């Protein structure tokens, strides 16, 4: 089993990995010495910081063994997919599988289901999201799911959003972790109470989605000069729900700490990249909660999961760009998930 001492020794071999600088800004209570080292702001130690940071992520990854039965490493559900959007739920669900989930379900509308099935025989697709019975139908699966990713390709149809409300309520009642992205965040901006105080929720807004949430929850237009402060405030206002603001750097907060992921990615911003992030994060959230706080050494489990998913998405983008340059698409990035994961987390 990997240990922190092992991570120190691994620094020597760290040259193979790209520079990741994760900075921790202390707003809350002081953290233990290891963490302060791990998230040191000193650029001179960036390789070591990266090693320590990635080690926290490595600590939550369940080892591959032949002893486990199918499903133990993650059964993930994606809620989204409608007439207009079928790519996003596919990208999220296939990313979850490629990160290491054993099973990936998609809960979409009746029309979207055959399209999503035709993209991949590897996904389990349920055509239930536009049924009057949607919340109950998804609810029946909840005991068998480890995390839900809500929002990829959801759209803003009122009937669908009402159904998703029911699904969110049922997930909270069962304590199923939820990652919320895209039009799932549109719903949260209309009704922040849906996630208020739910400690197993992670929101992954881009700039526009973040502004909308910030206005809805705090009544503040976004202060672009203080992104860290803005993310911290939104997280706190939502009762310490974990918030991942995607951008040139990804800024992550759980209401106590703020982390920044500026792992080198690429300058290519193709649509669908966010779905890769949300799908990967669904798996990492499950692993982090399963591993428990002792494995993440201070920062909350969800903070470490989010940092891992951000670094992984950036590494995929970088590797895909090296091969495909300007023509890089999300499919190219997904093809890099395996090698990028090994490179970051399995050295
Ligand atoms: C959120 O975290 C802050 C900082 O640790 C703490 O002061 C506050 O009480 C927490 N809020 C809730 C609702 O748990």
């Amino acid at each position: 089993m990997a240990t922190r001492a092992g991570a120190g020794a691994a620094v020597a071999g760290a040259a193979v990995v790209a520079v990741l600088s994760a900075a921790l800004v202390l707003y809350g209570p002081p953290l233990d010495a290891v963490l302060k080292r791990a998230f040191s702001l000193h650029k001179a130690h960036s390789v070591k910081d990266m090693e320590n940071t990635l080690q926290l992520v490595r600590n939550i990854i369940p080892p591959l063994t032949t002893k486990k039965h199918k499903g133990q490493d993650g059964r993930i559900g994606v809620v989204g997919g409608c007439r207009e959007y079928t790519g996003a739920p596919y990208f999220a669900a296939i990313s979850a599988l490629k990160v290491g989930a054993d099973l990936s379900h998609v809960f979409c509308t009746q029309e979207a289901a055959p399209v999503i099935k035709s993209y991949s025989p590897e996904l389990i697709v349920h055509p239930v999201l536009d049924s009057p019975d949607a919340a109950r139908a998804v609810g029946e699966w909840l005991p068998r799911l480890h995390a839900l990713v809500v929002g990829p390709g959801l759209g803003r149809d009122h009937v669908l959003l009402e159904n998703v409300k029911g699904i969110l309520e049922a997930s909270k009642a069962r304590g199923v972790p939820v990652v919320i992205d895209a039009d799932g965040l549109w719903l949260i901006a209309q009704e922040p109470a849906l996630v208020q105080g739910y400690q197993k929720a992670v929101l992954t807004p881009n700039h526009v989605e973040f502004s909308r949430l910030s206005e809805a929850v705090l009544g503040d237009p976004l202060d672009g000069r203080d992104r860290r402060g803005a993310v911290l405030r939104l997280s706190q206002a939502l009762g310490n729900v974990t918030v991942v603001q995607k951008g040139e750097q990804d800024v992550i907060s759980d209401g106590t700490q703020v982390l920044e992921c500026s792992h080198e990615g690429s300058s290519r911003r193709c649509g669908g990249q966010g779905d890769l992030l949300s799908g990967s994060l669904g798996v990492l959230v499950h692993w982090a909660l399963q591993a428990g706080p002792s494995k993440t050494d201070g920062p909350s489990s969800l903070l470490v999961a989010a940092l891992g998913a951000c670094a992984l998405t950036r590494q995929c983008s970088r590797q895909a760009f090296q091969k495909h340059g300007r023509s890089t698409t999300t499919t190219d990035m997904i093809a890099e998930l395996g090698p990028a994961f090994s490179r970051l987390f399995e050295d």
Side-chain angles (χ1 to χ4, degrees):
M1 202 189 80
T3 62
R4 230 180 296 133
V11 168
V16 291
V17 203
V19 172
L20 174 134
S21 61
L24 174 69
V25 182
L26 290 172
Y27 285 93
L31 295 158
D32 71 68
V34 171
L35 256 175
K36 278 187 215 137
R37 276 205 310 281
F39 296 107
S40 157
L41 283 160
H42 298 295
K43 290 291 183 217
H45 301 304
S46 57
V47 170
K48 186 163 187 174
D49 294 342
M50 170 206 65
E51 258 312 301
N52 287 329
T53 307
L54 294 181
Q55 187 57 42
L56 293 180
V57 182
R58 285 177 195 139
N59 287 348
I60 65 168
I61 296 170
L64 291 172
T65 83
T66 51
K67 304 260 187 298
K68 287 187 276 192
H69 60 263
K70 183 174 73 178
Q72 260 182 306
D73 283 341
R75 293 182 296 266
I76 308 299
V78 175
V79 176
C82 59
R83 181 203 297 238
E84 293 87 348
Y85 308 115
T86 54
Y90 161 76
F91 288 142
I94 202 80
S95 297
L97 277 183
K98 287 190 179 282
V99 166
D102 295 324
L103 292 169
S104 212
H105 296 253
V106 176
F107 300 93
C108 60
T109 66
Q110 195 154 13
E111 259 182 315
V115 181
I116 297 171
K117 284 182 200 193
S118 76
Y119 295 152
S120 166
E122 294 161 296
L123 307 177
I124 304 161
V125 183
H126 307 265
V128 297
L129 204 53
D130 50 349
S131 129
D133 215 18
R136 194 198 50 78
V138 178
E140 278 183 0
W141 280 95
L142 285 179
R144 282 170 275 177
L145 296 177
H146 296 114
L148 274 189
V149 179
V150 176
L154 179 59
R156 294 181 186 171
D157 179 89
H158 287 295
V159 173
L160 294 191
L161 294 182
E162 277 303 313
N163 288 344
V164 171
K165 268 191 220 176
I167 294 167
L168 283 174
E169 296 293 358
S171 306
K172 277 193 293 187
R174 285 209 70 95
V176 175
V178 289
V179 175
I180 307 182
D181 191 37
D183 283 327
L185 294 170
W186 165 265
L187 175 63
I188 300 304
Q190 315 303 306
E191 219 165 308
L194 284 168
V195 292
Q196 183 75 39
Y198 186 48
Q199 303 294 324
K200 291 184 180 175
V202 184
L203 312 185
T204 55
N206 61 24
H207 182 79
V208 172
E209 290 156 350
F210 185 88
S211 296
R212 191 183 296 127
L213 280 168
S214 190
E215 287 255 22
V217 175
L218 295 161
D220 277 350
L222 182 61
D223 178 0
R225 288 162 305 177
D226 181 17
R227 280 183 65 203
R228 291 172 179 189
V231 175
L232 179 75
R233 278 192 299 280
L234 179 63
S235 171
Q236 287 179 345
L238 286 169
N240 297 341
V241 160
T242 300
V243 177
V244 181
Q245 192 200 29
K246 299 175 287 191
E248 193 182 341
Q249 292 87 32
D250 302 315
V251 181
I252 310 164
S253 181
D254 62 353
T256 304
Q257 297 165 28
V258 181
L259 300 185
E260 202 169 283
C261 181
S262 48
H263 185 69
E264 190 186 333
S266 83
S267 49
R268 193 70 177 92
R269 294 278 166 273
C270 47
Q273 211 162 312
D275 307 313
L276 191 160
L277 175 72
S278 66
S280 309
L281 185 50
V283 183
L284 285 164
V285 160
H286 163 53
W287 288 348
L289 292 171
Q290 191 177 48
S294 62
K295 292 285 176 64
T296 52
D297 210 8
S300 77
S301 304
L302 296 191
L303 217 51
V304 170
L307 192 79
C310 289
L312 180 61
T313 303
R314 287 164 174 268
Q315 182 69 26
C316 286
S317 174
R318 179 179 176 186
Q319 290 180 194
F321 189 79
Q322 279 165 0
K323 291 186 186 166
H324 305 280
R326 179 179 290 282
S327 80
T328 301
T329 61
T330 300
T331 301
D332 301 321
M333 287 178 57
I334 286 171
E336 297 298 326
L337 263 168
F341 189 96
S342 298
R343 193 139 183 197
L344 288 179
F345 306 131
E346 295 180 322
D347 260 353

